[in-house]
Amino acid sequence: MQEATSKEKVLKKVRKALIQKTKNPYPNLDYDSKIYSASDESLDILFAEEFTKVSGQFVYCENGEEFIQLISSLTKEREWNNFHAVDKQIMDYLDKGNIKYTNDEAGLLNSEVGITLCEFLSARTGSIIISSKQLSGRRLSVFPPVHIVVAYSSQLVFDIKDALSGIKNKYGENIPSMISAITGPSRSADIEKTLVMGAHGPKEVFVFLIDDTINN
């Protein structure tokens, strides 16, 4: 009988492990307690600090009207012409600001600015949490060279774990097939450690945070 190959030996050990399960040597490990201590700073300030550290651009808005004014000014300053949006809430804002946009497939392929909502903002990591359940889907946040996120103060949470819990509460058993954390613009480094921005997605990421926790 020929000696078993290395691959067969490994597979035999895997089969044996699946049949004869080992008892958990650490049954009392705490998986629920938070690892990171809450910050003394407010979540919006903490998010802004962490987000700008990773080259994100943060803009605070007291209300929706101020967002319209600021996005209109930025559009003129940057001379943006090709916006793409699919969320009604965002399209209403753009209409009020007289900003032209597309919401069809051809428009997406030619867009220079994609503007979306988000699920949550993780303050500790400065991350934007998005999912495939959003109307913007999987592509709008990565295809255009500029990604603008419209978020609300009520969407701020301390950590990604809190965001995931919020998504679970929101969707129940129908969890999105994709949940992603965007932490700043896309970047990559070559073998010489030269940083390249926008290698796999947007070169610039903006977050406009609209305060919905006060009476406007």
Side-chain angles (χ1 to χ4, degrees):
M1 186 181 211
Q2 289 185 337
E3 186 177 350
T5 64
S6 298
K7 182 178 179 181
E8 289 171 340
K9 289 179 180 178
V10 171
L11 291 175
K12 186 176 180 181
K13 289 181 180 179
V14 171
R15 285 194 295 269
K16 184 178 179 182
L18 290 173
I19 295 170
Q20 302 175 352
K21 293 185 178 180
T22 305
K23 208 172 190 181
N24 183 0
Y26 308 105
N28 299 318
L29 283 179
D30 182 4
Y31 295 101
D32 298 319
S33 297
K34 294 184 178 181
I35 299 174
Y36 300 98
S37 300
S39 172
D40 292 332
E41 290 186 306
S42 62
L43 292 181
D44 52 354
I45 293 175
L46 180 60
F47 176 83
E49 290 175 345
E50 297 303 319
F51 185 60
T52 53
K53 282 180 185 177
V54 292
S55 303
Q57 301 188 59
F58 177 83
V59 183
Y60 173 81
C61 309
E62 287 190 353
N63 48 46
E65 287 72 24
E66 186 175 22
F67 165 69
I68 294 169
Q69 294 172 5
L70 293 173
I71 191 66
S72 297
S73 298
L74 185 62
T75 299
K76 291 175 183 176
E77 178 186 326
R78 294 295 191 92
E79 298 182 345
W80 288 330
N81 296 306
N82 300 317
F83 275 80
H84 192 83
V86 293
D87 297 279
K88 185 180 184 307
Q89 197 171 10
I90 290 177
M91 292 190 287
D92 287 343
Y93 282 136
L94 297 179
D95 286 337
K96 290 176 182 177
N98 295 315
I99 298 173
K100 295 181 179 180
Y101 60 89
T102 59
N103 57 8
D104 56 10
E105 181 70 15
L108 173 62
L109 297 178
N110 293 300
S111 62
E112 56 184 330
V113 180
I115 180 165
T116 74
L117 299 172
C118 68
E119 296 284 6
F120 291 95
L121 298 177
S122 168
R124 187 187 69 81
T125 59
S127 301
I128 305 156
I129 312 301
I130 62 171
S131 84
S132 55
K133 287 287 186 182
Q134 295 176 236
L135 289 177
S136 51
R138 299 169 181 264
R139 294 187 297 169
L140 186 50
S141 61
V142 296
F143 191 84
V146 178
H147 180 202
I148 294 176
V149 176
V150 179
Y152 295 88
S153 295
S154 57
Q155 293 178 297
L156 279 164
V157 294
F158 177 64
D159 204 1
I160 291 177
K161 181 178 180 180
D162 303 313
L164 294 176
S165 295
I167 289 174
K168 185 176 181 180
N169 292 334
K170 181 178 179 180
Y171 295 106
E173 297 299 321
N174 196 20
I175 294 292
S177 58
M178 182 209 75
I179 300 172
S180 181
I182 301 171
T183 309
S186 169
R187 68 195 70 204
S188 183
D190 60 20
I191 195 170
E192 295 181 353
K193 299 182 180 180
T194 301
L195 187 65
V196 179
M197 303 298 285
H200 311 290
K203 292 181 179 180
E204 292 184 284
V205 179
F206 290 79
V207 167
F208 283 81
L209 182 69
I210 300 174
D211 194 338
D212 61 348
T213 62
I214 58 176
N215 295 322
N216 296 316

